[in-house]
Amino acid sequence: MNRFEYARAADAGEAVRLASGSAMRFLAGGTNLVDLLKENVERPTKVIDIRRLPLAGITATDDGGLRLGALATNADTAWHPEVEARYPLLSSAILAGASPQLRNAATNGGNLNQRTRCYYFYDTAAACNKREPGSGCSAIGGVTRIHAILGSSEACIATHPSDMCVALAALEATVRVQGPSGERSIAFADYHRLPGDDPSRDNQLADGELVTAIDLPAEGYATHYTYLKLRDRLSYAFALVSVAVGLRLDEAGRIVTGRVALGGVAHKPWREPRAEALLEGQAPSQALFLQVADSLLLGAVGRGGNDFKIELARKAIVRALRQAAAGTPQSQTDKRVA
C-alpha cells in the first residue's frame, strides 16, 4: 500500500473542497477501495473519509419517487419497507449480490462506483488499460470466461460487477452529484461509460464530484418483475449473466411498458430501448421473448472463453421475461433456477 494523505469531511461541501486538485478517492464503506489500496491497484495521494456525511437517509421525493442516500448501506436499502414494497426488483438485486457482511458495510454510492473484477485489472504484473492507460489489455487473448460480449473495445473487455446497478438501470433511476461547479443529476443510462479508447474512466463523474443520492421514479414495477442472476456458484459469486426485468401489464394482460437490463455482459449495465419497445402492446409469449432477447444481444461477440455467454444470456432473458410476466420473481433465498 502506498502512503497517502487522509482527511475526514463533515459535509458534502467540505468533501468537494478537499477533493480539488489532487489524485484522491472518497472512502465510504471501503469494501472495494481498501482491497484495491492494499493491492496497489489504486494509488491515490489523498483519501477523503465521507462516512460522517448526512447522506444515509431514504426519503420520499416530490414526484412520488424515492431518494436513496449515497451513504445508506446496501442492507438498509434492500430491507427498507418502501423499497421492499414499491421497488422489489431493486431489493432482490441487492440481495443477490455479495454476502450479508459486505452488504452491511457497502454503501449505495460505493456500489455505483465499484471497479471491475477482471483478473488482469487486479494483477499489477499484467497489462491493463483500465489500471495503467496505454499499457494494453492482457484479457484479450487471455482467460475470458467472465468478460464482456457487448460494447467492448480493443482497449478493454472488462465487465461492470454490480447487481444493484442492473436493477437501477431497469428502473431508470437518476444519480445526484455535487461537485466544484455545483449540483447536477445524471440519468442512470448515461452514468457508466463503455470503454472506448479510455477504459480507465468507469463513469461520467467529473474531477471532485461526489455522489450524494440516487432517485427512483414513481414507477417501481412492483407486481411484474424479476432479478435473475446466473453464476458459477450459488453462495457467493459475481454474475456471469444477470437480467433485471420490470413489466407493467394492462387488465387484458398485455404489456404496456417493459424494461430489461443485463449485467455481467458489458462495461456497464446493458439496456437496448429498441428491444424494450418490442414488448409494448404485446401479449406475453415465448416467441415475443425470444425476439426481445435476439434484439438485446444484437452485436454480441465472444472472445473464445466467454462464447457461451451469448446463448446463456439469450436463455436468461427469455426466462426472466417469463418470470416477470407471470408475477413469479426469482427467489434470492432459494437461488435454484427451476
Side-chain angles (χ1 to χ4, degrees), residues 39 119-128 131 138:
E39 297 296 332
Y119 326 119
Y120 302 98
F121 175 71
Y122 280 79
D123 180 1
T124 56
C128 175
R131 175 172 30 80
S138 292

Side-chain angles (χ1 to χ4, degrees), residues 65-128:
L66 199 65
R67 177 162 299 161
L68 312 175
L71 292 181
T73 67
N74 289 177
D76 285 345
T77 303
W79 296 115
H80 191 280
E82 285 288 307
V83 176
E84 284 189 279
R86 297 178 56 196
Y87 307 95
L89 170 57
L90 177 60
S91 180
S92 179
I94 294 173
L95 295 177
S99 65
Q101 292 87 348
L102 285 169
R103 294 195 296 266
N104 284 336
T107 64
N108 292 335
N111 197 307
L112 264 61
N113 296 324
Q114 65 178 300
R115 309 216 68 189
T116 181
R117 265 58 175 188
C118 174
Y119 326 119
Y120 302 98
F121 175 71
Y122 280 79
D123 180 1
T124 56
C128 175

Side-chain angles (χ1 to χ4, degrees), residues 1 35 37 49-51 62 78 87 112 144 154 164-165 175 239 269 332:
M1 181 182 292
D35 284 345
L37 292 172
D49 188 336
I50 59 171
R51 288 176 292 180
D62 292 340
Y87 307 95
L112 264 61
T144 57
E154 291 306 306
M164 178 181 182
C165 288
V175 183
Q332 302 306 335

Side-chain angles (χ1 to χ4, degrees), residues 35-47:
D35 284 345
L36 295 171
L37 292 172
K38 289 191 293 188
E39 297 296 332
N40 281 326
V41 175
E42 291 277 8
R43 287 171 288 180
T45 58
K46 181 188 289 185
V47 171

Side-chain angles (χ1 to χ4, degrees), residues 263-289:
V265 298
H267 205 249
K268 60 184 289 186
W270 189 265
R271 275 186 62 203
E272 177 47 72
R274 286 175 297 184
E276 294 170 343
L278 296 172
L279 294 164
E280 296 179 5
Q282 303 298 315
S285 70
Q286 182 80 358
L288 173 64
F289 296 159

Side-chain angles (χ1 to χ4, degrees), residues 25 114-116 121 127-137 140 151-160 192-203 267:
R25 289 289 183 268
Q114 65 178 300
R115 309 216 68 189
T116 181
F121 175 71
C128 175
N129 288 318
K130 180 176 282 296
R131 175 172 30 80
E132 295 287 347
S135 63
C137 177
I140 297 175
S152 64
S153 73
E154 291 306 306
C156 183
I157 58 173
T159 56
H160 193 271
H192 295 102
R193 296 177 69 254
L194 293 178
D197 59 4
D198 184 10
S200 66
R201 295 179 58 224
D202 293 336
N203 53 54
H267 205 249

Side-chain angles (χ1 to χ4, degrees), residues 230-282:
L230 304 179
R231 48 194 141 182
D232 278 328
R233 63 179 189 273
L234 289 176
S235 61
Y236 179 18
F238 292 94
L240 292 170
V241 172
S242 67
V243 189
V245 177
L247 302 176
R248 184 159 63 88
L249 275 58
D250 63 17
E251 292 181 354
R254 292 185 177 275
I255 299 167
V256 179
T257 56
R259 297 291 179 265
V260 186
L262 306 181
V265 298
H267 205 249
K268 60 184 289 186
W270 189 265
R271 275 186 62 203
E272 177 47 72
R274 286 175 297 184
E276 294 170 343
L278 296 172
L279 294 164
E280 296 179 5
Q282 303 298 315

